[in-house]
Amino acid sequence: MSTELGPFYDGALHPLVSPEDLLLIVAVAALGALRGVDAARRGLVALLVGWTIGAAAGFALPIEPPAPRLVT
């Protein structure tokens, strides 16, 4: 995704244009709203830690595209 506004804004606007991330944020917010302030804070921390671990794993374990197969 590129907004041509720079890498900071690309990252900041990413949840608004990718529904899977936005759905996760809304779900954690709704769960926090139903469970109270302490649960909301723990949910926010868990969300950020999970995203950080996922990003680190994505950078550490790059997936190579499959080699093209020749059809005979």
Side-chain angles (χ1 to χ4, degrees), residues 1 3 21 24 26-27 44 49 56-57 61 64 71:
M1 185 203 101
T3 61
D21 288 338
L24 179 64
V26 170
L44 178 63
V49 168
L61 304 169
E64 295 182 22
V71 179

Side-chain angles (χ1 to χ4, degrees), residues 3-53:
T3 61
E4 297 183 11
L5 296 173
F8 175 77
Y9 292 106
D10 286 347
L13 294 174
H14 179 75
L16 300 177
V17 296
S18 61
E20 62 274 359
D21 288 338
L22 185 59
L23 181 63
L24 179 64
I25 293 169
V26 170
V28 170
L31 184 63
L34 293 173
R35 303 283 297 190
V37 175
D38 290 334
R41 288 182 181 145
R42 287 192 305 267
L44 178 63
V45 169
L47 180 67
L48 295 176
V49 168
W51 265 335
T52 303
I53 291 171

